[in-house]
Amino acid sequence: MTSMPAAERLGSHLKRAEQALAATKSAVLKPAGLTVAQYSALLHLSGNPGISAAALARLCGVTPPTMNTVLNNLQDRALIERTPHEWHKNVLETRLTDEGRAVMKDADARAVRVERALAAEFTDEERTALTALLARCVTVLERERP
C-alpha cells in the first residue's frame, strides 16, 4: 500500500472546509441563541410544518435521538410546539411558534450572510462547477462505502 501525504488527500480538504463552515455558522448563530443543529432544525421546520422528529432528523443529517434532544431544547425555549398527529397519536407533529419564527428569521439572516459571502468568492461558473464536483464526491464516497 502506498502512502499519501495529507496535503494530497481530498478528504482532508473537504473536512477543513466543512469545519470552517460549521465554526463560522456557530459563531454567527451564537448571538441568536442557537446552535447550528438548532438552526438547521428550525430552518427545515419553517419549510415543513408538522414534520415528525424522525423525518426532521433525516433532513438535518442527525440521528433521531440527537434530534429529540435538539427539539426538547427548542421546546423548553418555546420556539416550537409538538402536538399528537391527528391519526397517529404516537407521532408528534412539530411546528414553529411565533417566537420560533422570530428567532428563525434573525438566525437565518445571519446564516445567509455567511452563505452569500462564500458564494461571492466564486464566479457563477465556479459555483456551478464546485457544486457538481461536490456532488461527484458524494457519489463516489457512497459507492465506496462498505
Side-chain angles (χ1 to χ4, degrees):
M1 180 186 275
T2 317
S3 183
M4 177 185 249
E8 293 178 17
R9 295 176 189 223
L10 291 178
S12 296
H13 295 284
L14 289 169
K15 183 69 175 175
R16 284 184 56 218
E18 191 277 332
Q19 287 173 327
L21 177 62
T24 301
K25 281 199 176 171
S26 180
V28 301
L29 291 170
K30 192 171 186 168
L34 295 177
T35 65
V36 174
Q38 290 170 335
Y39 165 71
S40 181
L42 292 179
L43 178 65
H44 287 292
L45 277 170
S46 69
N48 301 280
I51 193 170
S52 70
L56 190 57
R58 285 190 293 278
L59 283 175
C60 293
V62 299
T63 64
T66 297
M67 182 52 63
N68 277 322
T69 299
V70 168
L71 292 177
N72 286 337
N73 290 334
L74 293 172
Q75 191 170 18
D76 288 347
R77 293 180 53 202
L79 300 181
I80 63 166
E81 58 187 7
R82 301 171 83 188
T83 55
H85 187 278
E86 186 179 345
W87 305 308
H88 307 289
K89 299 301 181 195
N90 60 334
V91 173
L92 292 176
E93 293 183 325
T94 307
R95 289 184 172 74
L96 296 177
T97 62
D98 289 342
E99 176 67 13
R101 278 186 282 284
V103 169
M104 171 57 200
K105 185 177 177 184
D106 174 44
D108 197 43
R110 295 167 183 280
V112 166
R113 281 195 293 277
V114 172
E115 292 287 348
R116 286 201 173 122
L118 184 57
E121 285 297 309
F122 301 95
T123 65
D124 289 345
E125 295 78 19
E126 287 172 331
R127 279 192 305 278
T128 299
L130 180 58
T131 301
L133 292 168
L134 291 170
R136 277 176 44 200
C137 288
V138 170
T139 299
V140 169
L141 293 169
E142 287 177 345
R143 186 176 65 226
E144 290 296 315
R145 186 182 311 142

